Amino acid sequence: MLLDRFFEKGRQFLGCRYPILCGAMTWVSNPQLVSHLGRCGGFGLLAGGNAPVAVLQQQIEETRSLSADPFGVNLITIAPAYAEQLDMVCRMKCAVVVFAGSIPRENDIHRAKESGARVICFAPTEQLALKLIKMGTDALILEGSEAGGHIGPVSLTVLIQQILFKVDSVPIFVAGGIATGRMMAHLLMMGAAGIQMGTRFVMSEECAVHPEFKETFRRAKARDAVATPQFDSRLPVIPVRALKNEGTDAFGKLQLDLIHKLETQAMDRMEAQFEVERFWMGALRHAVMDGDTKKGSLMAGQSVGLADRILPLQGIFDELLGDAENELQRLAQQLGE
Ligand SMILES: Cc1cc2nc3c(=O)[nH]c(=O)nc-3n(C[C@H](O)[C@H](O)[C@H](O)COP(=O)(O)O)c2cc1C
């Protein structure tokens, strides 16, 4: 397979057959999904999110009991239980730790590495990519603003040119808007060590979200996955990409209410930002677990427009790998001419 030579770097790094990661998704990434991914040869990530430390520990133990394949844990550095989660993840000697949310402290990167984990960080700019490498990260993820969930401001196309084309000292994984094997082939040829997808894996049979959540994804078009605006610089909010519904409007109203509370000093900025994150976690839970697709948060990438069938995970892998290999063969032939 031509794909093999492009997979080598990511394969070595992650210790799995295919460097295809299923990004951590709060309320979505459970031990079943993560272990099934491992069985298909991919790499799953549990989501620390807002989980109490005991819950996350139980998920790590359950995933280990379901399969011996390697997997990782994604920790959000601004989550309420982050410090305890990191202590526990180090104690549990996880294979890979992904730091998300904000730039992690250098000491946290070192602690994770000393526990035996390989560390991956999100790099939003070239400067930060270089800084994170200096701080000791073992690999980077570039996630474009096409992605689902909390997003950065820059598209994957630009991040590729700013970072992937310039930095070659650590493996770089790419995410955001990816849903096809053909695209994966081109990203690997551009130098990516592997890819990460979220939305496409939600549309797997093994993903235990509410059937209504999947049905809404199935019908959605790429343009329905919109990023939330920030109304006032006094209340900085990280944009969230989700399918537009009443929940999106409710977030607008919440922002206005919080801005009013800031103006009248009924609340400080930290509390207001905490309220914003609480809103998202609650709203996502309503949609994912209860199937409230009207008021809940339907976090999805623009790739939702390419994910219109529910398939078994093995079927998704077969399709991705087959299409990627065909694309490489096609190009090899074209270039050989
Ligand atoms: C429902 C949902 C929840 C997500 N939750 C998280 C999370 O808790 N932590 C995180 O780092 N990324 C989270 N993400 C982002 C994914 O891990 C992944 O990087 C993203 O979905 C990639 O873009 P794509 O959806 O176009 O494939 C979430 C995405 C979705 C769709």
Side-chain angles (χ1 to χ4, degrees):
M1 278 214 314
L2 285 177
L3 256 181
D4 278 325
R5 71 178 75 153
F6 291 99
F7 274 162
E8 202 42 44
K9 205 178 355 170
R11 192 176 259 170
Q12 292 280 333
F13 182 82
L14 295 168
C16 61
R17 246 177 305 149
Y18 311 119
I20 299 175
L21 297 107
C22 175
M25 291 180 275
T26 299
W27 301 119
V28 177
S29 304
N30 60 14
Q32 285 71 27
L33 182 66
V34 171
S35 56
H36 274 299
L37 261 136
R39 246 171 256 138
C40 293
F43 196 88
L45 290 162
L46 289 172
N50 275 11
V53 71
V55 171
L56 184 59
Q57 177 165 346
Q58 191 266 327
Q59 289 195 334
I60 294 171
E61 284 162 358
E62 193 179 336
T63 310
R64 283 180 178 166
S65 75
L66 290 170
S67 119
D69 298 305
F71 64 94
V73 181
N74 172 301
L75 298 180
I76 299 182
T77 55
I78 48 175
Y82 165 68
E84 296 86 56
Q85 287 178 344
L86 178 60
D87 287 345
M88 181 274 292
V89 162
C90 291
R91 269 199 320 275
M92 298 287 289
K93 303 201 174 304
C94 294
V96 167
V97 175
V98 179
F99 287 107
S102 67
I103 302 302
R105 286 199 308 249
E106 190 165 349
N107 191 39
D108 292 355
I109 294 179
H110 287 161
R111 280 184 53 214
K113 286 176 68 154
E114 276 158 20
S115 78
R118 294 193 159 188
V119 168
I120 311 182
C121 296
F122 285 87
T125 65
E126 184 190 357
Q127 209 184 7
L128 275 172
L130 296 174
K131 185 174 167 185
L132 285 162
I133 293 168
K134 231 170 139 186
M135 283 163 68
T137 192
D138 297 306
L140 297 171
I141 299 189
L142 311 182
E143 187 186 58
S145 55
E146 307 91 325
H150 289 74
I151 53 171
V154 181
S155 71
L156 183 58
T157 324
V158 172
L159 290 175
I160 285 172
Q161 297 167 82
Q162 284 181 327
I163 305 174
L164 184 63
F165 288 174
K166 293 187 183 164
V167 177
D168 60 8
S169 51
V170 296
I172 298 183
F173 299 90
V174 292
I178 307 166
T180 62
R182 189 168 182 181
M183 189 63 186
M184 177 170 78
H186 285 273
L187 292 165
L188 292 169
M189 280 189 293
M190 284 190 229
I195 61 156
Q196 169 165 300
M197 301 191 301
T199 301
R200 175 97 206 252
F201 284 130
V202 168
M203 296 298 275
S204 64
E205 280 175 7
E206 289 84 349
C207 179
V209 297
H210 195 284
E212 280 300 316
F213 192 81
K214 284 189 195 172
E215 179 54 22
T216 313
F217 270 38
R218 198 184 61 74
R219 287 196 308 256
K221 304 201 165 38
R223 64 167 179 263
D224 299 331
V226 293
T228 53
Q230 172 177 302
F231 290 161
D232 194 312
S233 56
R234 282 171 299 176
L235 179 62
V237 291
I238 302 171
V240 166
R241 188 174 297 286
L243 300 179
K244 197 162 165 39
N245 65 358
E246 285 175 35
T248 324
D249 297 338
F251 178 61
K253 290 196 190 93
L254 174 74
Q255 271 197 81
L256 292 175
D257 181 44
L258 292 173
I259 290 162
H260 178 68
K261 286 188 171 139
L262 286 177
E263 269 166 359
T264 56
Q265 295 182 344
M267 197 179 254
D268 68 25
R269 193 156 112 173
M270 276 266 287
E271 278 177 281
Q273 281 179 310
F274 190 63
E275 279 300 307
V276 165
E277 289 317 306
R278 252 202 0 198
F279 170 90
W280 286 121
M281 290 305 113
L284 181 59
R285 187 180 192 289
H286 283 315
V288 168
M289 313 288 256
D290 312 330
D292 182 354
T293 55
K294 287 205 171 81
K295 295 196 175 110
S297 170
L298 299 162
M299 290 186 192
Q302 292 178 342
S303 52
V304 76
L306 293 155
D308 52 7
R309 289 162 303 146
I310 299 168
L311 294 174
L313 269 180
Q314 190 58 57
I316 295 180
F317 271 83
D318 291 347
E319 194 177 285
L320 283 172
L321 296 165
D323 289 351
E325 181 64 21
N326 284 344
E327 182 65 357
L328 292 179
Q329 300 280 359
R330 188 183 72 79
L331 289 167
Q333 228 172 28
Q334 206 174 51
L335 293 169
E337 276 167 11

Short mmCIF file of all heavy atoms in Angstrom, two decimals, residues 20 32 50 52 61 78 87 92 103 131 164 169-170 182 217 221 239 243 275 280 287 332 335:
data_model
loop_
_atom_site.label_atom_id
_atom_site.label_comp_id
_atom_site.label_asym_id
_atom_site.label_seq_id
_atom_site.Cartn_x
_atom_site.Cartn_y
_atom_site.Cartn_z
N ILE A 20 -5.21 7.70 12.55
CA ILE A 20 -6.51 8.38 12.35
C ILE A 20 -7.11 8.50 13.73
O ILE A 20 -7.49 7.49 14.35
CB ILE A 20 -7.42 7.54 11.41
CG1 ILE A 20 -6.76 7.38 10.04
CG2 ILE A 20 -8.80 8.17 11.31
CD1 ILE A 20 -7.52 6.46 9.08
N GLN A 32 -16.72 2.75 25.10
CA GLN A 32 -17.11 1.87 23.98
C GLN A 32 -16.58 2.43 22.66
O GLN A 32 -15.95 1.72 21.87
CB GLN A 32 -18.64 1.73 23.89
CG GLN A 32 -19.26 0.84 24.95
CD GLN A 32 -19.24 1.48 26.35
OE1 GLN A 32 -19.24 2.70 26.49
NE2 GLN A 32 -19.20 0.65 27.39
N ASN A 50 -15.66 18.43 31.56
CA ASN A 50 -16.02 18.84 32.91
C ASN A 50 -16.19 17.65 33.84
O ASN A 50 -16.76 17.79 34.91
CB ASN A 50 -17.32 19.65 32.88
CG ASN A 50 -17.05 21.10 32.58
OD1 ASN A 50 -15.94 21.46 32.21
ND2 ASN A 50 -18.05 21.94 32.74
N PRO A 52 -15.97 14.92 36.62
CA PRO A 52 -15.28 14.78 37.91
C PRO A 52 -14.18 13.74 37.76
O PRO A 52 -14.30 12.81 36.95
CB PRO A 52 -16.39 14.29 38.85
CG PRO A 52 -17.68 14.58 38.16
CD PRO A 52 -17.39 14.56 36.69
N GLU A 61 -10.31 3.16 33.21
CA GLU A 61 -10.26 1.75 33.61
C GLU A 61 -11.16 0.91 32.71
O GLU A 61 -10.78 -0.18 32.27
CB GLU A 61 -10.70 1.62 35.08
CG GLU A 61 -9.60 2.06 36.03
CD GLU A 61 -10.12 2.35 37.44
OE1 GLU A 61 -11.34 2.24 37.67
OE2 GLU A 61 -9.29 2.71 38.30
N ILE A 78 -8.69 24.57 31.22
CA ILE A 78 -9.48 25.56 31.98
C ILE A 78 -10.70 24.91 32.65
O ILE A 78 -11.56 25.60 33.17
CB ILE A 78 -9.92 26.74 31.06
CG1 ILE A 78 -10.52 26.20 29.75
CG2 ILE A 78 -8.78 27.68 30.76
CD1 ILE A 78 -11.11 27.26 28.84
N ASP A 87 -3.36 15.04 37.70
CA ASP A 87 -2.72 14.16 38.70
C ASP A 87 -3.09 12.71 38.45
O ASP A 87 -2.25 11.82 38.43
CB ASP A 87 -3.20 14.51 40.13
CG ASP A 87 -2.60 15.82 40.62
OD1 ASP A 87 -1.63 16.29 40.00
OD2 ASP A 87 -3.13 16.37 41.60
N MET A 92 -2.27 7.14 36.39
CA MET A 92 -2.79 6.01 35.60
C MET A 92 -1.88 5.66 34.42
O MET A 92 -2.15 4.74 33.68
CB MET A 92 -4.19 6.34 35.05
CG MET A 92 -5.25 6.60 36.09
SD MET A 92 -5.78 5.10 36.93
CE MET A 92 -6.71 4.27 35.67
N ILE A 103 -3.10 27.32 26.39
CA ILE A 103 -1.72 26.82 26.34
C ILE A 103 -1.39 26.22 27.71
O ILE A 103 -1.52 26.91 28.73
CB ILE A 103 -0.74 27.98 25.99
CG1 ILE A 103 -1.13 28.60 24.65
CG2 ILE A 103 0.70 27.52 25.99
CD1 ILE A 103 -1.14 27.65 23.47
N LYS A 131 6.89 27.67 20.36
CA LYS A 131 6.98 27.78 21.83
C LYS A 131 6.62 26.44 22.49
O LYS A 131 7.30 25.98 23.40
CB LYS A 131 6.01 28.88 22.29
CG LYS A 131 6.10 29.17 23.75
CD LYS A 131 5.25 30.34 24.15
CE LYS A 131 5.13 30.36 25.68
NZ LYS A 131 4.25 31.37 26.16
N LEU A 164 2.37 23.64 9.26
CA LEU A 164 2.77 22.32 8.73
C LEU A 164 3.91 22.43 7.72
O LEU A 164 4.84 21.61 7.72
CB LEU A 164 1.56 21.62 8.10
CG LEU A 164 1.78 20.21 7.58
CD1 LEU A 164 2.17 19.25 8.70
CD2 LEU A 164 0.55 19.67 6.87
N SER A 169 10.01 19.41 13.19
CA SER A 169 10.74 18.73 14.28
C SER A 169 9.86 17.78 15.08
O SER A 169 10.38 16.95 15.82
CB SER A 169 11.39 19.76 15.20
OG SER A 169 10.45 20.71 15.60
N VAL A 170 8.54 17.90 14.98
CA VAL A 170 7.65 16.96 15.69
C VAL A 170 6.52 16.53 14.73
O VAL A 170 6.22 17.26 13.78
CB VAL A 170 7.00 17.60 16.96
CG1 VAL A 170 8.02 17.97 18.01
CG2 VAL A 170 6.12 18.81 16.59
N ARG A 182 -9.96 10.71 0.39
CA ARG A 182 -9.24 11.47 -0.65
C ARG A 182 -8.56 12.68 -0.01
O ARG A 182 -7.41 13.00 -0.29
CB ARG A 182 -10.25 11.89 -1.73
CG ARG A 182 -9.58 12.48 -2.91
CD ARG A 182 -10.54 12.63 -4.07
NE ARG A 182 -9.83 13.16 -5.22
CZ ARG A 182 -10.39 13.42 -6.37
NH1 ARG A 182 -11.67 13.20 -6.56
NH2 ARG A 182 -9.68 13.92 -7.36
N PHE A 217 -27.71 15.50 12.27
CA PHE A 217 -26.43 15.57 11.54
C PHE A 217 -26.66 15.08 10.10
O PHE A 217 -26.14 15.66 9.15
CB PHE A 217 -25.38 14.65 12.19
CG PHE A 217 -24.54 15.32 13.25
CD1 PHE A 217 -25.08 16.23 14.13
CD2 PHE A 217 -23.19 15.00 13.41
CE1 PHE A 217 -24.31 16.84 15.12
CE2 PHE A 217 -22.42 15.59 14.38
CZ PHE A 217 -22.97 16.50 15.24
N LYS A 221 -26.57 20.52 6.33
CA LYS A 221 -25.63 20.89 5.26
C LYS A 221 -24.42 21.57 5.91
O LYS A 221 -24.51 22.04 7.04
CB LYS A 221 -26.32 21.86 4.31
CG LYS A 221 -27.60 21.28 3.73
CD LYS A 221 -27.99 21.98 2.46
CE LYS A 221 -29.04 21.20 1.70
NZ LYS A 221 -30.08 20.56 2.52
N PRO A 239 -15.32 31.01 20.33
CA PRO A 239 -16.43 30.61 19.45
C PRO A 239 -16.67 29.11 19.47
O PRO A 239 -15.73 28.32 19.67
CB PRO A 239 -15.97 31.05 18.05
CG PRO A 239 -14.67 31.73 18.22
CD PRO A 239 -14.19 31.57 19.62
N LEU A 243 -24.65 23.29 14.91
CA LEU A 243 -25.77 23.49 13.99
C LEU A 243 -26.70 24.52 14.60
O LEU A 243 -27.02 24.47 15.79
CB LEU A 243 -26.52 22.17 13.76
CG LEU A 243 -25.69 21.04 13.16
CD1 LEU A 243 -26.53 19.77 13.01
CD2 LEU A 243 -25.12 21.45 11.80
N GLU A 275 -19.85 30.81 33.50
CA GLU A 275 -21.27 30.59 33.15
C GLU A 275 -21.40 30.16 31.69
O GLU A 275 -22.21 29.31 31.34
CB GLU A 275 -22.07 31.89 33.35
CG GLU A 275 -22.49 32.16 34.76
CD GLU A 275 -23.37 31.05 35.33
OE1 GLU A 275 -24.39 30.72 34.70
OE2 GLU A 275 -23.02 30.50 36.39
N TRP A 280 -22.51 25.67 27.75
CA TRP A 280 -22.19 24.76 26.64
C TRP A 280 -22.21 23.31 27.07
O TRP A 280 -22.73 22.44 26.37
CB TRP A 280 -20.83 25.10 26.02
CG TRP A 280 -20.88 26.34 25.18
CD1 TRP A 280 -20.15 27.46 25.36
CD2 TRP A 280 -21.72 26.57 24.05
NE1 TRP A 280 -20.48 28.38 24.41
CE2 TRP A 280 -21.45 27.87 23.60
CE3 TRP A 280 -22.69 25.82 23.39
CZ2 TRP A 280 -22.10 28.44 22.50
CZ3 TRP A 280 -23.34 26.38 22.30
CH2 TRP A 280 -23.04 27.66 21.87
N ALA A 287 -28.50 17.72 24.14
CA ALA A 287 -28.63 17.26 22.75
C ALA A 287 -28.12 15.83 22.60
O ALA A 287 -28.79 14.98 22.02
CB ALA A 287 -27.87 18.21 21.83
N ALA A 332 0.05 8.71 -8.39
CA ALA A 332 1.32 8.06 -8.75
C ALA A 332 1.33 7.80 -10.26
O ALA A 332 2.34 8.04 -10.94
CB ALA A 332 1.49 6.76 -7.97
N LEU A 335 1.63 11.15 -12.14
CA LEU A 335 2.98 11.71 -12.08
C LEU A 335 3.98 10.87 -12.86
O LEU A 335 4.98 11.39 -13.36
CB LEU A 335 3.43 11.84 -10.62
CG LEU A 335 2.66 12.86 -9.79
CD1 LEU A 335 2.98 12.74 -8.31
CD2 LEU A 335 2.95 14.28 -10.28
#
